[in-house]
Amino acid sequence: MRRLIPLVLVVPFLVVPLLVGTGARASAPPSGATATGYGGAVASVDPTATAAGLEVLRHGGNAVDAALAVAATLGVTEPFSSGIGGGGFFVYYDARTGRVSTLDGRETAPRSMGETAFVNPATGQPYAFQEARVSGLSAGVPGSLATWDAAARRWGTRPLSSALGPAAKVARDGFTVDATFNQQVSDNAAAFAQFDPTAKLYLPGGAPPAVGTTMRNPDLAATYDLVARRGIDAFYGGEIGRDIVTTVQRPPLAASPSRPWQYQIRPGGMTVSDLRAYDVRSPAPTHMTYRGYDVYGMATPSSGGSTVGEALNILERSDLRGLDKTQALHRYLEASALAFADRNRYVGDGTPRPVLDSLLTDGFAGERACQIDPAAALSKPVLPGVPDGHYATCSSATGGAAPDKGQSTTNLTVADRWGNVVEYTLTIEQIGGNGIVVPGRGFLLNNELTDFNFTPTQGTAPDPNLPAPGKRPRSSMAPTIVLQHGRPFLAVGSPGGSTIITTVLQILVNRLDLGMTLPEAVAAPRASQRNTASVTAEPAFISSAEGQALAGLHHTFTPMAEIGAATAIEFLPHGRLLACAEPVRRGSGSAGTVH
Ligand code: GLU
């Protein structure tokens, strides 16, 4: 997101860029979407957040310290996409050990949640999506603060409080409202108007904050300060936690909302003991090799690592470089559909690890690749395969479910001078989460539990993503780190609901197979085939020569203005870093390097 007006604190005789920090050498927030340099790099959607990360790197912090500063700042400046009311997945490459580790900070269902939680008992029908979303029911136990604390303790060089302090200052002093912020409030105005604390914060005087005005959030500043002083227990069971539970159980409804809302607002069952029980998990990353690169991603409850990995494995059966671009994109779309069919059938929280890993075997990928017809798109939805170890082969080496809603979330990529790398995707699910700001605390709650399937989707086969007590909803978040000869080559991630998977996949294919530079790979028009009749695609993709040729192969397209908002870093020879954010999407992102 580009802030349209550079934020400065004006004091007599002095103009100081915000987030100067403690050091003498401050720099203006990086304004570009691409940066090349040395000594560490940060890419995020927001220049204030990117600047916060660079400031930490400049003052000796490592990639984890910087990533937490970026994340805490995004919780202030991008409050509709992430924050301490949400969760996410953190992937870390440690230069000293050469190992990739992950943190699963996914939101979790309360222990009272049953399989039919999203079915209206009065009608037997699933709730409409907005009815499920704007409720206490949809809020999972948040995982972001626990993730930040775990990352700081395990891999950071400073406590979490040092990331929260500067972000609290941004919340207290304010930042400039840009067009994206204004639009995100406008899009949510009806939902936000239903709740007193949300309307007070984001609809002052009944309207979204105007572009160019200063947005302050003193309640969030105080919340960050409290956690900085007292630790995350203040949240996971302490006074902040008690406020969360009250909010979920008795949503703070406005007595006379300024805008109508057609749905009943339902309470949730989260308790303080659900908050106390929250744990950050550290599953082994998913791993597969693709054309000599080692690709590491996020395991369950995310489907990101296994689905990106399975699709790459299927694509590895084709020499994409030797094919014309239309054929390469045809394989990309078909591999995505096949991998989504398997994701929908087999992947959810609690999927046994051997099952997840079986989806990433070469044998299974070979069998799936045999289904691809170079002459025509398969009719969708394609059926899932059976990863049972007995695989058919074919001589040619060339080999359904509704797409998830959601275009929210945010992604950040950080590298430091020692070679450590963080790829972190974090979210409150929809833009604006469940629409409810916790009174007096300044942050929105997530609606992540709507990532569960509301009713079974797999016919007579079990559905791996139905609600259950203490379960985590399946995610598509796909923070990915690619190594070459054991050293970082590329780190990439994106928001975008289930299109996250195809965005990460398409960027990897663009960069590794189709001869694009990283900025070109990120900027290229996107198309997303998630095992549905029609391919969701950006208008520029549909109208391109390849888009037209793909229509000739019976691919049909549903236009979507924008897909994803990626950030990435490529590790060039001799320690050079190429940091990359979106040049246009989501109002454009912000990348910077230390030198
Ligand atoms: N809730 C989504 C997921 O975890 C992400 C939402 C989005 O990116 O819009 O997959």
Side-chain angles (χ1 to χ4, degrees):
M1 177 192 277
R2 173 182 294 145
R3 301 280 151 210
L4 297 177
I5 300 169
L7 184 61
V8 292
L9 293 177
V10 182
V11 292
F13 315 116
L14 198 62
V15 177
V16 191
L18 195 64
L19 281 172
V20 164
T22 52
R25 222 160 31 94
S27 44
S31 54
T34 300
T36 311
Y38 295 90
V42 180
S44 84
V45 294
D46 175 59
T48 307
T50 294
L54 288 171
E55 196 64 14
V56 171
L57 293 176
R58 270 191 203 105
H59 288 87
N62 70 10
V64 171
D65 303 324
L68 300 182
V70 177
T73 306
L74 288 172
V76 178
T77 59
E78 295 277 329
F80 311 119
S81 300
S82 69
I84 60 175
F89 297 100
F90 192 102
V91 180
Y92 173 60
Y93 170 81
D94 187 292
R96 197 173 48 78
T97 62
R99 284 185 47 199
V100 177
S101 308
T102 77
L103 295 175
D104 157 15
R106 185 67 160 168
E107 299 90 330
T108 302
R111 281 177 284 196
S112 57
M113 179 163 267
E115 189 171 304
T116 57
F118 290 104
V119 175
N120 186 337
T123 63
Q125 296 299 311
Y127 294 125
F129 180 72
Q130 287 299 335
E131 182 165 8
R133 174 205 162 197
V134 180
S135 72
L137 185 62
S138 66
V141 178
S144 287
L145 261 182
T147 305
W148 300 354
D149 193 57
R153 286 175 195 279
R154 278 182 215 190
W155 306 307
T157 69
R158 42 190 77 179
L160 174 57
S161 54
S162 69
L164 295 173
K169 182 167 164 47
V170 178
R172 193 170 288 111
D173 294 345
F175 58 93
T176 305
V177 170
D178 71 2
T180 307
F181 191 100
N182 172 275
Q183 187 62 46
Q184 292 180 338
V185 178
S186 299
D187 293 346
N188 277 291
F192 286 3
Q194 306 313 309
F195 306 102
D196 269 336
T198 320
K200 191 167 143 229
L201 185 59
Y202 292 123
L203 295 168
V211 174
T213 57
T214 299
M215 175 76 208
R216 294 189 178 82
N217 189 342
D219 286 349
L220 182 59
T223 301
Y224 276 10
D225 287 344
L226 181 63
V227 175
R229 272 198 321 277
R230 299 246 305 276
I232 64 168
D233 286 352
F235 188 97
Y236 290 98
E239 56 197 276
I240 304 168
R242 286 197 292 277
D243 286 353
I244 293 173
V245 163
T246 305
T247 306
V248 165
Q249 295 185 358
R250 290 194 298 282
L253 300 177
S256 44
S258 59
R259 294 163 205 244
W261 185 250
Q262 66 182 106
Y263 304 107
Q264 196 173 327
I265 293 169
R266 295 168 190 281
M270 192 192 299
T271 63
V272 172
S273 77
D274 287 318
L275 278 155
R276 279 209 193 93
Y278 188 83
D279 64 321
V280 176
R281 304 178 190 160
S282 320
T286 58
H287 172 242
M288 50 86 59
T289 59
Y290 184 66
R291 306 198 201 283
Y293 296 93
D294 287 279
V295 180
Y296 291 91
M298 199 64 225
T300 53
S302 186
S303 59
S306 61
T307 315
V308 169
E310 182 187 337
L312 285 173
N313 250 341
I314 294 170
L315 288 171
E316 204 173 25
R317 270 77 209 153
S318 297
D319 175 16
L320 296 187
R321 273 177 250 204
L323 295 171
D324 69 50
K325 197 170 167 200
T326 300
Q327 264 302 317
L329 290 170
H330 172 59
R331 313 287 163 111
Y332 153 71
L333 296 174
E334 297 297 80
S336 302
L338 291 160
F340 261 90
D342 299 324
R343 163 209 190 254
N344 294 342
R345 172 59 61 87
Y346 300 111
V347 183
D349 190 20
T351 298
R353 191 59 194 238
V355 174
L356 194 74
D357 290 339
S358 70
L359 297 173
L360 289 172
T361 59
D362 287 337
F364 185 56
E367 183 174 88
R368 299 299 274 152
C370 289
Q371 301 217 6
I372 296 177
D373 177 353
L378 299 165
S379 126
K380 312 287 185 323
V382 296
L383 293 174
V386 183
D388 59 0
H390 304 287
Y391 300 122
T393 53
C394 51
S395 55
S396 160
T398 58
D404 301 3
K405 37 294 145 187
Q407 290 302 322
S408 174
T409 311
T410 193
N411 192 76
L412 60 98
T413 313
V414 180
D416 65 26
R417 72 178 94 151
W418 299 282
N420 303 303
V421 184
V422 171
E423 187 63 47
Y424 185 26
T425 315
L426 57 165
T427 188
I428 54 173
E429 214 302 283
Q430 290 289 291
I431 291 181
N434 74 350
I436 313 178
V437 168
V438 179
R441 303 297 182 184
F443 63 91
L444 281 157
L445 289 173
N446 69 83
N447 66 296
E448 214 70 49
L449 302 183
T450 60
D451 273 358
F452 285 122
N453 293 336
F454 293 6
T455 52
T457 62
Q458 297 299 308
T460 54
D463 185 319
N465 190 37
L466 292 173
K471 188 172 172 179
R472 300 182 178 196
R474 179 174 63 209
S475 171
S476 300
M477 291 190 269
T480 302
I481 295 182
V482 180
L483 307 185
Q484 187 180 32
H485 311 306
R487 315 271 310 161
F489 172 74
L490 186 70
V492 61
S494 176
S498 56
T499 66
I500 291 170
I501 288 168
T502 55
T503 292
V504 168
L505 179 64
Q506 194 175 357
I507 290 171
L508 291 174
V509 168
N510 286 344
R511 176 66 192 89
L512 302 177
D513 293 311
L514 301 187
M516 296 186 203
T517 64
L518 183 61
E520 290 167 349
V522 169
R526 293 190 182 132
S528 180
Q529 171 46 280
R530 290 159 289 158
N531 199 22
T532 50
S534 167
V535 177
T536 304
E538 292 177 339
F541 186 96
I542 300 171
S543 61
S544 67
E546 291 82 20
Q548 309 279 299
L550 287 163
L553 295 177
H554 309 302
H555 292 280
T556 57
F557 296 105
T558 303
M560 183 182 257
E562 278 186 6
I563 298 177
T567 68
I569 294 177
E570 183 168 334
F571 301 83
L572 303 172
H574 314 299
R576 273 180 93 212
L577 298 164
L578 170 56
C580 202
E582 295 285 354
V584 176
R585 296 181 185 95
R586 276 270 186 113
S588 86
S590 165
T593 57
V594 171
H595 303 299

